[in-house]
Amino acid sequence: MRASFVMSGVASGIRRNMTMTVALVLNTAITLFFVGGSILASREINKFNHDYEGKLNVSIYLCPKPVQGQTPLGNCRSRYTDAQRTSLEEQFKKDPIIKTWAFISETDAVVRYRKTVPQIVGNNTTIGDLPASFTIHLNDIKKDYPTFVKEYRTQPGVSGTSSQSTVLKTLLNVIGRVRLGSFVLAIVVLIASVLLIANSIQVAAAQRKNETSIMRLVGASRWMTELPFMIETIIATFVGGLIALGLITLGKEFTLNNIFKVPVQNGVIPNLDANDILIAGGLGMMAGLVLAALTAFATLRFYVKL
Amino acid sequence: MIRLDNVTKVYPAGARPALDSVSLDIDKGEFVFLIGASGSGKSTVLRLLLREELPTRGSVMVDSRNVGRLPARKVPDLRRKIGCVFQDFRLLPKKSVFENVAFALEVINKSPKTIRRTVPEVLDLVGLTGKAQRMPSELSGGEQQRVAIARAFVNRPLVLIADEPTGNLDPDTSQGIMSLLERINRTGTTVVMATHDNNIVDAMRRRVIELDTGRIIRDQNRGVYGVGR
Ligand SMILES: Nc1ncnc2c1ncn2[C@@H]1O[C@H](COP(=O)(O)OP(=O)(O)OP(=O)(O)O)[C@@H](O)[C@H]1O
Ligand SMILES: [Mg+2]
């Protein structure tokens, strides 16, 4: 059978069921907007996670020189020794949970501190006021931090350990839940959409029952009568997918370039580029097309006898 | 060409069998009338030949194919070798005359070139010259039946099956349809026609098979409709 022949059947089918086709297109557009949006949100969150988990460090503070009349910190009796520092570094080298580390001497600490505070405060701080430390990057901060604390807190020459920002971690958790929610929503919309497709095909097939039975009598095979329905569904899904892509682009512009304009410009919230949108839209489209084709096929095979 | 061997057909909803041990043999090129009262089983015979129905018992052979055993995927192939015409024409209402006839060629994969050449020829043959672009709704009943015959005949089927093709037509128009079927028969196509029309049967003097409540009660060469009916 020739393509032009099938396509003329498809064109007339679409024309005849215009309202249904429009409903299908809009429904698919909204569904794929949700699916694509949820994929996009997920990418955004991954970037955010990546940016911040990458920046989350832990620190080991080394013993400062004891101050007269104050109880020494932790198990510090005296200032840490170079031997203790070297011994720690030897352990870091062998420790699988540690990725990189940097030593910050008492001098470095003060230099850094002075950069972050007003000059008048900075000038009152002298070398020795701030302890030397290691800034350490763990492979997996969530998993390995407790082990890290247990391993290093009580080592000779160590006054304590700390991790940055539990606030940030809470934030990441919340965002993770939002992502899960958007996925659940997308799946619900997707199910509704599959049911709508199945339903539309049944109605369309019933409408054209007379016609298809004549076709069958003249010797059309089953797939010849089914193909137009499948192609119609796929075209509707494709057009819906394109609209969804437009909606996703608009949605992204609106949220990231309007609502979150400043934090995005500062790099606090990572931006999303055309590539991300195409990936999200493309994945949504692909999922949509596969699902639509499968639904159409299954409906025609099992619920409609053409 | 066509052979029914002890065919019994019981419809799921039917109390008595629609066909009861029917055997018949139709050769290539024959013209056969199936007659009988309403409900005697004429349409059932034709539906079995088209595999619209399966026989309950017995075998139905068309062109040395056992139609009752034919797997579903081979049914289209069978139907491409059988042309069929019905009382209610069964044209595709959204397609023009040309497209309706072309459809039978499209399903067997003929090239657009062949279709453009063959369809007008057949339309000339059935007397529809110049009406190719009309829609079925713009034709008289007789003309619609001619389109149906053109569609049934366009790919030169082995058998043409006609179920009361003149049932909705006036005597003059019926006459025209009959001479058309006769011309088709002269090309070597086997024609099997169910009818109630005694005038037609009497005028044609062809083989007559008469059914009565699912049984063959008469099979006569050069027969007439029957006395006193
Ligand atoms: N789909 C069906 N389901 C149940 N019974 C049927 C069905 N089709 C036909 N019958 C029965 O089978 C018998 C034969 O029907 P058939 O249509 O073959 O008769 P016919 O000779 O063509 O009649 P008519 O001249 O009125 O067209 C009838 O008793 C009819 O009621
Ligand atoms: Mg009948």
Side-chain angles (χ1 to χ4, degrees), chain A residues 24-33 36 233-249 277 280-282 284-286 288-289:
Chain A
L24 212 56
V25 166
L26 293 181
N27 177 70
T28 314
I30 291 164
T31 306
L32 294 187
F33 172 64
T233 313
I234 288 169
I235 289 177
T237 310
F238 184 72
V239 176
L242 290 183
I243 296 177
L245 200 61
L247 290 176
I248 292 169
T249 313
I277 291 176
M285 176 86 94
M286 231 125 69
L289 287 176

Side-chain angles (χ1 to χ4, degrees), chain A residues 260-273:
Chain A
F260 294 121
K261 192 172 176 190
V262 175
V264 169
Q265 273 169 356
N266 294 343
V268 176
I269 294 178
N271 202 353
L272 291 165
D273 50 27

